[in-house]
Each structure stands twice: as C-alpha cells, then as structure tokens.
C-alpha cells in the first residue's frame, strides 16, 4: 500500500493577492488566537515577525543594548554573540515536560501527564499578565522547505528576543511561513514566556489533540524554541502517527562514493551522543584520496514518509544547528568549527582574553567562564557542558543542497546507537524490519548534560525518543512496525556503538571521521556486496569486511569491538524483555515475539548427550 502525500488544495484567489491584501486577510484562526493570547498576557506591544535581515539586526541591537547578548571578537568571529543564560536554566527539564492527552493512558509510561483542562488552567495562571510592559513577538515558522508537502507550520508567541533570533536561524521564519499558514489554515500553536526563570514556576506542556504547546519559565533551547523538540518531535510524532509518517530524533547524512552515488543515512543517537558529529564527518585520509564525500542534510531531526516507489523519503525540518559546543574542535569536527566562525549565537560558552568563544576541547586559554566569572577550575568546566552554538545550516561547508529538496532524500539505512561502555558491538545489522524496530526499542545510553539531572547513568532510550515521543511508546512501536507492508522498500536497520571502553576507561574506537568506515560497510550490506557474519543478536562485519587501512587499531581492540558475549547478551535481552513489558498491554505482540526469538537464539537447547 502506498501512502499519498497529504495535498492541500490551494484557493487560487489567495495566491493572487498582494502582500498588503494578504496582511489584511491574515487567517481568522491565527488572528483570533493572537488576540486571545494578547488578552491573557497583556503585552505593551505586539510585533509580527517578518523574518527579514533588518528585523534580525534590530533584535541583535536591542539585545546588545540591554546585555542579553555580549559581542564577541568581531575580527576573529564577525557577527558572533554570546548569551549567558540563568545558571538554573541551561538544559531541557524532562521532569517539568508534560504531554497532556485527554486520556492519561495515551501519554504512556514514557511521559509525564496532566489532565488538559487542569494543565491549561495551571499554565494560563502563569501566563496571566506575564508580558505587561514587554513586547509580544508573533513568529510564524515552517518546519521543512517552504514548498515541501512533508513540511508543517507553526506559530510561536514569545516575549523573549533571544528566542526570536534563534528561531530565525533554526527555522524558515517570517512572511513565507505566514503565507503558507494562510493558504493551509493549519498550524501548531506555541505560547512561550521566559517568566521569572523560577524552576518552581517552569513547565513545558504539550496538548497533542489541540496541536498546542505552552511553555513557561525557561529560555533554554529545547524548552523555549518551540519549533524544535516541542513541535518537530512531541507534537509532530502525533501528527506522523495520524498521517502515516515518522518524526524522529535523527541526523540525515549523504555519503557519496567515488563513483558519484550518494546514499542517505538517518541515525538516531540520544542527546549529546554524536548526531552533529556524524552528520558533518570528514572522511579518513585514504577515503578522501579515493574520492569519498560527505553531505550534511540534518543534525537533529528527521521527518520521513514512504514515497510512491515504496522507499522512505526524509526531510530535515530545521534550517540551522543548535549544537553542543564542548568537544567541537579542529580534530573532531572541523566542519562545525568552520560553520561557527561567523554569524553565530553562542550560549553559555567561556571567553578568552581577546574575547573569542572558548570551550573544553579547543586550544587556547579561557579567562571568563560561562557565568561571566573569572575562570577557576574549582568552579568546574569553563564552558557549561551543555553550552551550544546556533548557526544557519547553510554555513556548513558540507551543507547539502538536497536539504531544500521538497521531496526529501531516499533513505538507504537507519542507524540506532548510544553511549554503551560495554557489551554492544561497534556495529550490527538487524535481520529484518521487525528486528530493527526491536534494536531501536532496546536502545540504551548513558545520560548527558543535555537534560538536567545525573550524567553518565545508563537508561533505556528507545529510538533516542524517550524525552520526545509525544504518545504511548507501545503505540509508537506499533506505528514503526506498520511501515513493513506490501510494496514497501524499507531501509536496512543497524545499531552502532562508538563509545565502547576498554578496562582503563578509554574509548576502544577512535570515532568521529573514522565512523565512515562503519557507514561504508552498511552501504555495502544494503547493496548486497558483502556477506556479513550472522550471530544471534544480528549480522556483524565478517573478517576483512571493515576497511581499516590507515587506522591505528590493535587486533585485540578490533576483536573486542566485534565480539558477542553470550552471557552478557542473555542478561541484556532479558532486561530488554522486562523493560518492554512496561508498555503492556499496548506492546505489539510482534515486538514481544521478536524479543523472545532473540532470547531463544541466545539460549540454544542443550546438546543431546550422545547415545551410547
Ligand atoms: P544533541 O544536539 O544534544 O541532540 O546532540 P548530538 O547527538 O548532535 O551530539 P554531538 O554530535 O554534539 O556530540 C556530543 C558529544 O559527543 C561531543 O562532546 C562529541 O565530541 C562527542 N562525540 C561525538 N561523536 C563521537 C564519536 O564518534 N566518538 C566519541 N568518543 N565521542 C563522540
Ligand atoms: C537535545 O537535547 O537533544 C538537543 C538540544 O538537540 S535541545 O534543542 O535543547 O533539545
Ligand atoms: Mn537533539
């Protein structure tokens, strides 16, 4: 069965209007909602964002004047500014993020929930008069290329100019988005206020049935840039289920081989686990000489749906990168470093004596830490571990023109992965789609600084969507399984682990650009040119199948990276089974059966004693 793109018929009349007429005819639903919000928050002024460069420059000017932004060294970093957020407001707050379906069961054990009426009442009390004396910005935005049938629009209302500037970089924001909203009459409503930045008065609430978001009390990226995680994942995952597509926490990268063929790979790793880095990787020397190239389509979010030929086609709904700064260097990610050499907003990084942005992993010496204090190792890292850069994707040297393709790019392989210090091999391939969905559902990773709370704790994070799936995980797994249907030409599914450690706590695999070696094997598997090695947990590279020339990797390390430890895996598959049972009775029987199949493969019946 093929899934058709949802086509909206466009009344020709609307196209014929001049821009002034269009202003006057702003869709009633949008105007009514803006009026309702204004009556609640009572701003001194309302500013409709047009997305122009002049508007952006004016915002920067205001923020430099009031100290929201600090100018960085304009000789070394033209157009670059630093924002220091409140020290209690530096990451996503999962415990304060709620998904308010009418029925609690629909939120699933994977989400915090509140009754929608109670949640609206709670939020509206916080929003009551919160913009008095301030400007209310109305930000129409489009997630995805303006002309793409896969894109979806939203409007964010906020009182925070830093949010407006970031939305300008991260989305297609302004008049073009507003015109699409006027044509379609459909948009996600997002209301945001910085509030008092009081953690006691901070909530990120989602109302999937109403396609509405209300966020109060935080100015941090994922909590405040509502187009990103709130819309493009939590609300969009609901839209995707209803409409037959997937909204995922995935990078999209194009790998061009020496013959000039490009294969697109989508990969889901949890927050701060390597998506930006993989999306921009620089091939190892030998590969570069042979003509391999890498193209960046997206680094965080991927929307995909079956095309007429049965393949999955993906777009990156974003237009910029909100990337992790620490660890980004000329050695690890030169493309990111080049991208952020100009016209970039930095958040919570340190600065050097000559006012350049600095973080752990860069050469040079910081003098001022992320809180604006003189650097002192006693205060911890100089840059916050979750300090970030916001930059237009077009500034990336490997930015792909396909990122603007309305039809999206066809996906050859889907990759899952996480920070697993032990057990999980460097790479394994699922035997089929159902096994691939199990691999995604079984994902685990050590927590990172991208969310508040303990760092380095192993937790299950199916498809890297634990913080972002806007409905019951059991239903989500069922939705994933539903793509396996007659006529479908699904990508192959893999699981990778760049973070395996040796007995001394050192990474066994060099990672970063060297990860291309693993991607090449995946593409070869998809093309059927290498046989692989069957194991009970999946297909691993056979001897000699991974290209390793020019790599300083000992035999013992390679053996460990590609080993399957039966006892460890028996415990792991049992733990996965137990975890998945937490989604019963909505756990799809096919997923339970797949877990049982792998468990049985790991526990072969004891050999019959030889007959005497
Ligand atoms: P979000 O933006 O939070 O969704 O994160 P992300 O998945 O894009 O993470 P990112 O690529 O920014 O990586 C975060 C951290 O992981 C950085 O400190 C990187 O240096 C480190 N990292 C990325 N790739 C690798 C790798 O292949 N090996 C190792 N050891 N570390 C890596
Ligand atoms: C993440 O935490 O996965 C991010 C950053 O990509 S944020 O937009 O804050 O969610
Ligand atoms: Mn992310």
């Amino acid at each position: 069965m093929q899934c058709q793109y949802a086509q909206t018929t466009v009344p020709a009349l609307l196209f014929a209007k001049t821009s002034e007429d269009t202003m006057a005819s702003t869709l009633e639903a949008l105007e009514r909602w803006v009026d309702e919000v204004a009556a609640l928050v009572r701003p001194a002024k309302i500013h409709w964002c047009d997305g122009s460069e002049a508007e952006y420059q004016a915002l920067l000017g205001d923020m430099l004047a009031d100290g929201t932004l600090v100018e960085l060294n304009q000789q070394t970093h033209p157009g670059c500014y630093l924002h220091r957020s409140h020290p209690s407001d530096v990451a996503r707050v999962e415990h304060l993020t709620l998904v308010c379906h009418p029925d609690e069961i629909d939120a699933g054990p994977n989400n915090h929930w509140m009754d929608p009426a109670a949640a609206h009442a709670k939020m509206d009390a916080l929003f009551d008069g919160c913009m008095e004396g301030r400007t209310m910005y109305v930000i129409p935005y489009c997630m995805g290329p303006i002309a793409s049938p896969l894109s979806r629009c939203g409007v964010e209302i906020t009182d925070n100019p830093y949010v407006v500037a970031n939305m300008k970089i991260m989305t297609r924001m302004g008049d073009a988005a507003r015109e699409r909203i006027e044509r379609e009459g459909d948009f996600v409503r997002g209301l945001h206020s910085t509030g008092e930045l009081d953690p006691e008065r901070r909530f990120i609430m989602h109302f999937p049935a109403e396609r509405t978001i209300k966020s109060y009390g935080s100015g941090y990226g994922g909590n405040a840039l509502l187009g990103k995680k709130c819309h493009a994942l939590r609300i969009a995952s609901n839209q995707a289920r209803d409409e037959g597509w997937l909204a995922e926490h995935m990078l999209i990268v194009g790998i061009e081989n020496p013959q000039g063929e490009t294969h697109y790979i989508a990969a889901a790793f949890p927050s701060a686990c390597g998506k930006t880095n993989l999306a921009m990787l620089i091939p190892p020397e030998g590969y570069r000489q042979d003509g391999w190239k890498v193209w960046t389509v997206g680094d965080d979010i991927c929307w995909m749906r079956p095309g007429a030929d049965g393949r999955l086609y993906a777009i990156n709904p974003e237009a910029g990168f909100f990337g992790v700064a620490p660890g980004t260097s000329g050695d690890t990610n030169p493309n990111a470093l080049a991208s952020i050499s100009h016209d970039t907003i930095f958040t919570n990084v340190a600065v050097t004596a000559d006012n350049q942005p600095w973080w752990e992993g860069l050469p040079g010496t910081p003098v001022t830490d992320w809180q604006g204090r003189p650097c002192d190792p006693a205060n911890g890292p100089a840059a916050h571990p979750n300090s970030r850069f916001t930059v237009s994707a077009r500034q990336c040297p490997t930015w792909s023109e396909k990122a603007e393709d309305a039809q999206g790019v066809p996906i050859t392989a889907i990759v899952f992965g996480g920070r697993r210090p032990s057990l999980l091999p460097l790479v394994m391939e699922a035997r089929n789609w159902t096994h691939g969905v199990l691999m995604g559902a079984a994902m685990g990773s050590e927590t990172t600084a991208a969310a508040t709370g303990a760092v380095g704790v192993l937790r299950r994070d199916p498809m890297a969507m634990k913080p972002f799936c806007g409905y019951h995980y059991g239903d989500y797994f069922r939705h994933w399984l539903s793509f396996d249907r007659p006529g479908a030409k699904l990508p192959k599914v893999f699981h990778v682990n760049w973070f395996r450690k040796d007995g001394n706590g050192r990474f066994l695999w060099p990672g970063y650009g060297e990860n291309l070696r693993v991607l090449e094997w995946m593409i070869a598997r998809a093309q059927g040119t290498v046989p692989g090695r069957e194991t009970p947990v999946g297909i691993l590279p056979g001897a000699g199948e991974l290209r390793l020339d020019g790599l300083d990797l000992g035999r013992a390390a390679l053996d460990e990276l590609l080993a399957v430890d039966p006892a460890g895996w028996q415990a792991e598959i049992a733990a996965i089974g137990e975890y998945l049972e937490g989604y019963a009775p909505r756990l799809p029987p096919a997923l339970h059966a797949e877990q049982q199949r792998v468990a049985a493969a790991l526990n072969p019946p004891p050999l019959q004693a030889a007959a005497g």
Side-chain angles (χ1 to χ4, degrees):
M1 200 186 81
Q2 273 163 22
C3 178
Q4 298 296 313
Y5 293 141
Q7 291 286 356
T8 315
T9 39
V10 181
L13 206 92
L14 272 180
F15 275 135
K17 295 196 170 202
T18 66
S19 68
E20 249 170 76
D21 287 339
T22 312
M23 293 273 279
S25 78
T26 298
L27 204 79
E28 216 188 303
L30 175 54
E31 269 189 349
R32 203 180 328 118
W33 176 62
V34 171
D35 287 348
E36 273 167 29
V37 169
L40 175 67
V41 302
R42 299 191 291 278
K45 225 177 97 185
I46 299 179
H47 176 93
W48 285 76
C49 296
D50 60 16
S52 65
E53 184 58 25
E55 177 181 78
Y56 182 69
Q57 292 302 328
L59 278 167
L60 292 181
D62 292 349
M63 288 190 279
L64 286 166
D66 73 10
T68 303
L69 291 183
V70 180
E71 193 171 82
L72 290 166
N73 186 325
Q74 297 297 299
Q75 267 74 53
T76 59
H77 290 77
C80 291
Y81 304 94
L82 166 64
H83 174 69
R84 293 194 183 104
S85 65
H86 190 278
S88 76
D89 187 34
V90 292
R92 284 183 292 99
V93 282
E94 296 179 2
H95 60 298
L96 302 174
T97 299
L98 288 80
V99 176
C100 307
H101 284 279
D103 284 332
E104 179 170 9
I105 183 68
D106 291 322
N110 46 305
N111 281 300
H112 299 292
W113 175 87
M114 189 181 283
D115 171 70
H120 278 303
K122 188 176 189 75
M123 296 307 283
D124 291 352
L126 294 171
F127 280 111
D128 192 4
C130 73
M131 296 189 195
E132 272 171 10
R134 316 183 62 174
T135 300
M136 174 175 120
Y137 299 92
V138 182
I139 314 170
Y141 63 86
C142 182
M143 300 310 291
I146 288 278
S148 173
L150 285 78
S151 300
R152 292 290 181 276
C153 289
V155 178
E156 174 166 0
I157 295 179
T158 181
D159 53 9
N160 185 329
Y162 164 84
V163 167
V164 182
N166 275 268
M167 286 291 284
K168 158 84 175 152
I169 298 172
M170 296 302 297
T171 72
R172 282 91 170 164
M173 180 270 256
D175 285 346
R178 179 163 145 177
E179 281 157 25
R180 178 164 169 160
I181 290 168
E182 286 167 355
R183 288 202 301 275
E184 293 187 326
D186 186 32
F187 61 97
V188 170
R189 291 157 170 73
L191 172 56
H192 169 257
S193 172
T194 316
E196 306 82 11
L197 295 176
D198 174 359
E200 300 297 317
R201 289 163 58 83
R202 177 177 295 161
F203 293 100
I204 326 297
M205 300 268 201
H206 304 73
F207 304 89
E210 303 160 49
R211 307 291 194 238
T212 294
I213 304 151
K214 292 186 177 178
S215 166
Y216 189 89
S218 168
Y220 171 75
N223 302 330
L225 311 178
L226 301 187
K228 201 170 176 38
K229 296 303 173 26
C230 299
H231 175 164
L233 290 178
R234 294 194 197 94
I235 297 291
S237 58
N238 282 278
Q239 292 177 305
R241 179 183 49 167
D242 294 350
E243 299 169 8
W245 47 284
L246 289 164
E248 300 299 324
H249 191 204
M250 291 178 175
L251 67 94
I252 307 167
V253 66
I255 308 295
E256 184 181 331
N257 67 19
Q259 293 75 49
E261 301 155 357
T262 304
H263 288 271
Y264 294 91
I265 295 178
F269 310 148
S271 303
C273 291
K275 289 185 299 302
T276 303
N277 279 269
L278 194 69
M280 299 178 189
L281 76 81
I282 295 205
E285 170 105 42
Y287 279 76
R288 283 205 301 279
Q289 281 168 4
D290 291 350
W292 289 82
K293 294 195 181 93
V294 168
W295 299 104
T296 306
V297 179
D299 84 326
D300 196 48
I301 301 179
C302 165
W303 287 355
M304 39 189 178
R305 78 188 312 164
D309 61 359
R311 300 186 72 185
L312 286 184
Y313 284 79
I315 61 164
N316 170 15
E318 301 192 281
F321 307 127
F322 182 60
V324 176
T328 304
S329 73
D331 293 332
T332 59
N333 194 347
N335 281 320
L337 206 61
S339 309
I340 60 183
S341 62
H342 64 99
D343 298 298
T344 301
I345 299 177
F346 293 90
T347 301
N348 295 332
V349 299
V351 290
T352 61
D354 64 346
N355 208 25
Q356 296 191 48
W358 190 92
W359 48 82
E360 281 67 19
L362 279 183
T365 313
V367 296
T368 308
D369 77 2
W370 65 276
Q371 298 191 57
R373 302 172 300 194
C375 278
D376 179 352
N379 288 329
H384 189 275
N386 192 39
S387 54
R388 298 240 169 198
F389 51 78
T390 318
V391 68
S392 166
R394 289 174 180 274
Q395 290 186 200
C396 184
T398 52
W399 182 79
S400 167
E401 280 184 18
K402 289 281 184 182
E404 287 294 340
D405 191 321
Q407 301 306 318
V409 294
I411 297 298
T412 297
I414 287 178
V415 183
F416 297 116
R419 290 180 184 263
R420 294 296 297 259
S422 61
L423 191 69
L424 274 281
L426 177 64
V427 59
M428 56 183 181
E429 177 193 329
R431 62 205 293 267
N432 57 28
W433 186 255
T434 303
H435 186 208
V437 175
L438 178 69
M439 273 186 185
M443 268 173 67
S445 194
E446 290 179 336
T447 52
T448 65
T452 56
V455 167
V457 180
L458 192 68
R459 73 162 180 181
R460 296 280 163 206
D461 190 349
M463 280 83 168
M465 285 286 280
K466 170 70 186 69
F468 310 119
C469 177
Y471 62 99
H472 196 299
Y473 252 151
D475 297 335
Y476 173 80
F477 300 146
R478 187 180 306 270
H479 182 54
W480 262 86
L481 291 170
S482 77
F483 286 83
D484 189 4
R485 57 196 173 209
K489 293 202 185 68
L490 293 167
K492 279 196 176 285
V493 181
F494 299 85
H495 188 286
V496 299
N497 181 17
W498 314 141
F499 298 93
R500 189 72 178 267
K501 287 183 177 166
D502 67 13
N504 298 316
R506 281 185 301 245
F507 291 119
L508 275 169
W509 176 250
Y512 302 102
E514 308 297 345
N515 293 334
L516 181 60
R517 300 173 189 277
V518 175
L519 303 187
E520 184 196 8
W521 180 76
M522 292 175 185
I523 294 167
R525 284 293 302 154
Q527 294 184 311
T529 55
V530 291
R533 172 169 68 98
E534 295 257 7
T535 80
V537 297
I539 301 158
L540 272 71
E545 289 182 16
L546 276 184
R547 179 174 167 183
L548 297 172
D549 59 283
L551 189 64
D552 181 19
L553 186 73
R555 180 78 232 179
L558 183 66
D559 287 348
E560 200 172 337
L561 283 163
L562 296 178
V564 175
D565 161 29
W569 269 105
Q570 282 165 8
E572 172 74 1
I573 198 74
I576 291 165
E578 216 170 286
Y579 172 73
L580 293 178
E581 275 315 305
Y583 298 103
R586 295 203 181 185
L587 184 72
L591 202 58
H592 175 73
E594 187 64 14
Q595 181 271 341
Q596 293 286 300
R597 186 194 63 74
V598 178
L602 283 159
N603 289 289
L607 286 176
Q608 298 291 321

